[in-house]
Amino acid sequence: MTVWDDLVGQERVSEQLAAAARDADALVTAATSDAPPPEASKMTHAWLFTGPPGAGHIQAARAFAAALQCVSPDRALGGVPGCGFCDGCHTALIGTHADVTTVAAVGTQILAEDMRDTVRKSFTSPATGRWQVILVEDAERLNEKSANAVLKAVEEPAPRTVWLLCAPSIEDVLPTIRSRCRHLNLSTPSVEAVADMLVRREGVEPGVAAAAARATQGHVDRARRLATDPAARERRAAVLKLPLRVDDVGGCLKAAQELVDAAAEDAKALAEELDAKETEELKAALGAAQGGRLPRGTAGVMKDLEDKQKRRRTRTQRDSLDLALTDLTAFYRDVLALQLGSRVAMANTDAEDALERIARSSSPEATLRRIEAIGACRDALDRNVAPLLAVEAMTMALRAG
Ligand SMILES: [Zn+2]
């Protein structure tokens, strides 16, 4: 199983990346021996991976990072780097390679201080690997300051440094940064390709795999989760019942409260799993005495950790709500398909009764207005409107009539 096998339905992108990885490998070999460098190299110092949510643009970047560090002996025999098994590939994939640095937003933004050490590292040579790889998972969350720091680093890269930036779309990244990147756009994988992956890789029963792939419409991670995690299936079923519950104001307010509570619970569960452990580890590192008394002058570091944990909680809650909004949008898209007499590619074939009821009792115009209301809720959350307020406005707009 090579690193390229992780990319579902992305043959064209895989081929391009494999070719670049091969040239990258030849460049390093040429620099460290008498071998000639490749002609017209397909390798470059900065890449931008984009794609709709779940298409796998971050996985593609990670596979490429692994291939750049591949040390499999097969490479010398003309094999494609990215064997998936050698030490370079393996450590890059599990996140322990010394020369692969991954940056992901803790909260809703990547701050300049989150980026400082990484930018500094980008100006150095790789420690043990073949390339110094910096992978930014959500470049759309760079703020003005951190984006400027990245821009400077991308403008004058060290000879063996590669920046891999990921974002939903090319418009999400500053024009000055993206003009210096080679752009690869992943398309949504087909429902068949996702179902096939679930059967082959996860051992999911074909019927369940097909339903999960259809319900998530080409979102690979969500399909995997839905096919393998009963709690995820329950959550989705609850969200899909919402359209039938928003008959009156009371129902709308109650449904909104439940959605927000469920998201807050997700955030709390993750916080419980991580916060206490992190805090203990930091205290130990700072040399806290028995009874938890911290040495003088370390309060600032503890405060930084608390801030980080708070940002993470907000972000988790937001992501969880976002997932519910995605399911709801898919539901009303199916309603619209029914109203317009088109049943092709419906996502929620398992909620057919609810779909038919809503389709019969409303017009296509009303459905479009409802889809817009969900989009407006997402925009409001992006603008940091209080979640309950934004979701209540949405459920009220979903009401019949
Ligand atoms: Zn390898």
Side-chain angles (χ1 to χ4, degrees), residues 3 66-67 69-72 75 80-90:
V3 298
Q69 306 295 12
C70 184
V71 290
S72 143
R75 288 157 30 246
V80 177
C83 68
F85 287 104
C86 74
D87 199 46
C89 281
H90 180 66

Side-chain angles (χ1 to χ4, degrees), residues 223-241:
R224 187 179 289 126
R225 187 112 181 262
L226 208 55
T228 57
D229 178 2
R233 283 202 284 275
E234 251 169 60
R235 176 68 67 81
R236 175 169 168 274
V239 169
L240 294 184
K241 286 202 185 95

Side-chain angles (χ1 to χ4, degrees), residues 178-256:
R178 69 188 192 223
S179 67
R180 288 177 170 80
C181 296
R182 186 161 306 162
H183 178 215
L184 281 180
N185 185 48
L186 279 73
S187 47
T188 302
S190 69
V191 167
E192 290 75 24
V194 176
D196 180 57
M197 178 279 293
L198 291 173
V199 173
R200 277 187 306 112
R201 300 284 300 267
E202 308 290 332
V204 173
E205 192 262 314
V208 176
R214 210 165 40 232
T216 49
Q217 299 281 294
H219 193 303
V220 179
D221 286 339
R222 291 202 55 212
R224 187 179 289 126
R225 187 112 181 262
L226 208 55
T228 57
D229 178 2
R233 283 202 284 275
E234 251 169 60
R235 176 68 67 81
R236 175 169 168 274
V239 169
L240 294 184
K241 286 202 185 95
L242 187 141
L244 292 175
R245 297 175 51 209
V246 288
D247 285 340
D248 52 35
V249 175
C252 291
L253 298 183
K254 189 154 178 276

Side-chain angles (χ1 to χ4, degrees), residues 250-333:
C252 291
L253 298 183
K254 189 154 178 276
Q257 184 72 56
E258 281 174 19
L259 268 188
V260 173
D261 285 350
E265 235 163 74
D266 284 348
K268 200 171 140 226
L270 189 73
E272 272 166 8
E273 189 185 317
L274 300 176
D275 288 7
K277 191 165 156 268
E278 274 175 359
T279 307
E280 282 317 304
E281 278 171 5
L282 182 61
K283 275 187 183 165
L286 292 173
Q290 287 271 293
R293 251 189 107 76
L294 284 166
R296 218 179 266 276
T298 54
V301 188
M302 291 306 297
K303 173 85 177 43
D304 285 350
L305 179 64
E306 276 164 32
D307 286 348
K308 182 183 134 190
Q309 291 171 340
K310 199 169 153 231
R311 282 161 64 198
R312 184 170 58 208
R313 224 157 17 234
T314 309
R315 163 86 187 269
T316 315
Q317 184 173 2
R318 183 84 54 83
D319 287 352
S320 171
L321 269 181
D322 206 59
L323 207 60
L325 298 186
T326 304
D327 281 338
L328 270 181
T329 309
F331 180 93
Y332 285 110
R333 272 209 203 107

Side-chain angles (χ1 to χ4, degrees), residues 6 11 35 37 62 65 79 86 89 112 123 127 146 175 196 229 244 294 325 349 351 361 375 377 386 391:
D6 282 332
E11 286 71 21
R62 202 169 293 136
C86 74
C89 281
F123 291 114
S146 54
D196 180 57
D229 178 2
L244 292 175
L294 284 166
L325 298 186
T349 42
S361 64
C377 176
V391 176

